[in-house]
Amino acid sequence: MAGFSAVLSISRLSPLITPLRFKRYTGLGFKCQAGSSPQMDSDSTQKGSLSQVDSDSTQKKGSLSGISSYTLSAALAGLGSLETGYLSYLKLTNSNVFCPIGSGTCGDVLDSDYSFVFGIPLPLVGLVAYSAVTLLSLQQLGIFSIPGVNKTDSRLLLIGTTTSMATASAYFLYLLSTKFEGTSCSYCLISAFISFTLFFLLLKDYGLEKIGKLLGLQLAVAGMVIAALTNTYSSITPQSRSAEEFTLERYETEITKESTPFAIALAKHLHSIGAKMYGAFWCSHCNEQKEMFGKEAVKILNYVECFPDGAGKGRTMAVDCAVVGIEGFPTWIIKDQMYVSLRINGTVRLKDGLRCFPREMLRPKA
């Protein structure tokens, strides 16, 4: 009765207070909730805003400082496209690569038989892969649209592409450590870093639960990549083994071009200042250098043959070449400065390029 009287009292005061709605009956009495009021509406709006912020924060999990994974993948893949585009241009134009680290040793890797896949230059394959990742990431961001490919399909393609890129990078790092011992390749390491980063970045964004369902597909893609690369390189003779079995006796290449007065004068000047040209008898670029001077001027030059006893098994570089740190041929040392390849076109200019390296003598001619 006391409870009922209290209810009647509240109903009589209803014009003076906010109406109450009875929600449900509990063992402890009636549980009621106040009706709408400006203050409570404001509180509800704030709570809704906070819920939205929490939702947005949840969606941004897996991103870096609020930057989405697809923005990062588009940027990284764009950087990879620039690198492979540069290397593709050099490969297609038969130009020498600039090696920022390890002197000219990265040229040994990028010019080797391992730089092709089914006859296609490897940098060109990388350019296509990085470009695909860039476009697919931009589609996920809504910036670009690929006809016939929706966002779900593009996410699957991103996972498949980055899986194949990471697998190929791991395979090439294995080749670099086993087939090119003592050789550095900064471009190879940068490309591998980008590929692995893209793979783990998109893997994390996709979610472990969904990735578990695609594990079989990823393993299949990785297996096909390894099988294709192994089949491509199975016929290549390891360079280290060739160096042990290969022997080349020294021979002389005849210079047939007549020297111009300018070439003779230049040769006399280089001789007078103590300039030396270091070369190897098997080096085609050394012979081209001599041919530019002509047969009379070559006899005046201070030429040092770095393989006087032949090359290959049991033969080593001459001490005079080893002590000054010769890594490729021809190399000029002029007034204690090391230069690569002299060019003669009426004027003299030094060009950094067109050199032979010790491994080149072991490569089969095309």
Side-chain angles (χ1 to χ4, degrees):
M1 288 297 291
F4 186 70
S5 299
V7 172
L8 290 178
S9 299
I10 291 172
S11 63
R12 291 173 183 172
L13 296 174
S14 59
L16 302 177
I17 63 173
T18 304
L20 300 177
R21 296 196 307 270
F22 297 110
K23 296 287 289 184
R24 59 191 178 93
Y25 181 80
T26 66
L28 299 177
F30 290 104
K31 184 177 182 179
C32 53
Q33 179 179 355
S36 62
S37 67
Q39 179 64 34
M40 298 187 67
D41 289 343
S42 176
D43 293 342
S44 300
T45 302
Q46 292 178 2
K47 290 180 179 179
S49 300
L50 292 174
S51 299
Q52 182 63 34
V53 171
D54 292 340
S55 177
D56 292 342
S57 300
T58 302
Q59 291 178 0
K60 288 182 179 180
K61 283 184 178 180
S63 64
L64 181 62
S65 300
I67 303 175
S68 70
S69 300
Y70 296 113
T71 301
L72 293 173
S73 65
L76 284 171
L79 182 61
S81 298
L82 291 177
E83 182 202 24
T84 52
Y86 166 68
L87 296 178
S88 297
Y89 168 77
L90 296 179
K91 199 73 175 176
L92 296 176
T93 58
N94 199 28
S95 302
N96 289 327
V97 65
F98 168 72
C99 301
I101 301 175
S103 186
T105 56
C106 69
D108 291 345
V109 180
L110 299 173
D111 292 334
S112 70
D113 295 330
Y114 291 96
S115 63
F116 292 88
V117 178
F118 297 112
I120 303 173
L122 190 57
L124 192 59
V125 177
L127 176 60
V128 172
Y130 281 122
S131 299
V133 173
T134 303
L135 295 178
L136 290 170
S137 298
L138 291 177
Q139 175 162 346
Q140 288 296 317
L141 294 170
I143 299 175
F144 182 82
S145 179
I146 302 176
V149 179
N150 57 38
K151 287 193 173 183
T152 302
D153 294 336
S154 65
R155 291 186 75 184
L156 291 174
L157 289 173
L158 275 171
I159 290 295
T161 304
T162 53
T163 298
S164 63
M165 292 169 65
T167 304
S169 294
Y171 189 92
F172 289 124
L173 288 178
Y174 164 76
L175 291 179
L176 186 63
S177 63
T178 57
K179 309 298 183 182
F180 298 93
E181 296 181 18
T183 302
S184 63
C185 179
S186 54
Y187 297 102
C188 307
L189 297 178
I190 291 173
S191 183
F193 172 78
I194 295 175
S195 296
F196 288 133
T197 303
L198 286 172
F199 173 70
F200 288 113
L201 183 67
L202 296 175
L203 194 69
K204 184 176 183 297
D205 182 80
Y206 205 81
L208 293 178
E209 183 178 348
K210 292 182 179 179
I211 285 297
K213 299 178 181 179
L214 297 175
L215 183 60
L217 176 62
Q218 288 182 288
L219 292 176
V221 170
M224 288 189 292
V225 171
I226 293 175
L229 294 176
T230 302
N231 180 65
T232 301
Y233 300 135
S234 60
S235 60
I236 297 178
T237 304
Q239 293 185 8
S240 58
R241 183 177 300 175
S242 298
E244 295 173 357
E245 300 175 355
F246 188 84
T247 300
L248 185 64
E249 298 298 335
R250 182 180 175 181
Y251 58 85
E252 297 293 337
T253 301
E254 183 181 2
I255 305 301
T256 59
K257 180 182 176 181
E258 298 289 337
S259 299
T260 64
F262 176 81
I264 294 175
L266 175 61
K268 289 180 178 179
H269 173 70
L270 292 172
H271 185 276
S272 67
I273 63 176
K276 292 183 179 181
M277 173 186 173
Y278 295 83
F281 66 91
W282 45 264
C283 172
S284 59
H285 296 314
C286 298
N287 294 328
E288 292 172 3
Q289 186 88 119
K290 294 177 181 179
E291 195 72 34
M292 283 188 288
F293 275 94
K295 56 184 179 181
E296 293 84 9
V298 164
K299 296 177 182 179
I300 304 173
L301 295 173
N302 290 322
Y303 174 75
V304 180
E305 173 59 53
C306 291
F307 290 89
D309 300 324
K313 184 178 180 181
R315 315 296 171 87
T316 59
M317 184 185 294
V319 176
D320 291 344
C321 299
V323 295
V324 294
I326 302 299
E327 294 183 349
F329 312 102
T331 294
W332 286 83
I333 295 184
I334 305 173
K335 294 183 178 180
D336 297 327
Q337 295 293 321
M338 189 174 290
Y339 300 95
V340 178
S341 190
L342 269 171
R343 287 294 180 220
I344 307 173
N345 293 315
T347 58
V348 182
R349 58 190 177 93
L350 294 166
K351 181 179 180 181
D352 194 10
L354 296 179
R355 288 204 298 173
C356 296
F357 294 90
R359 293 181 186 274
E360 184 169 324
M361 58 180 283
L362 305 178
R363 297 175 188 159
K365 294 182 178 179

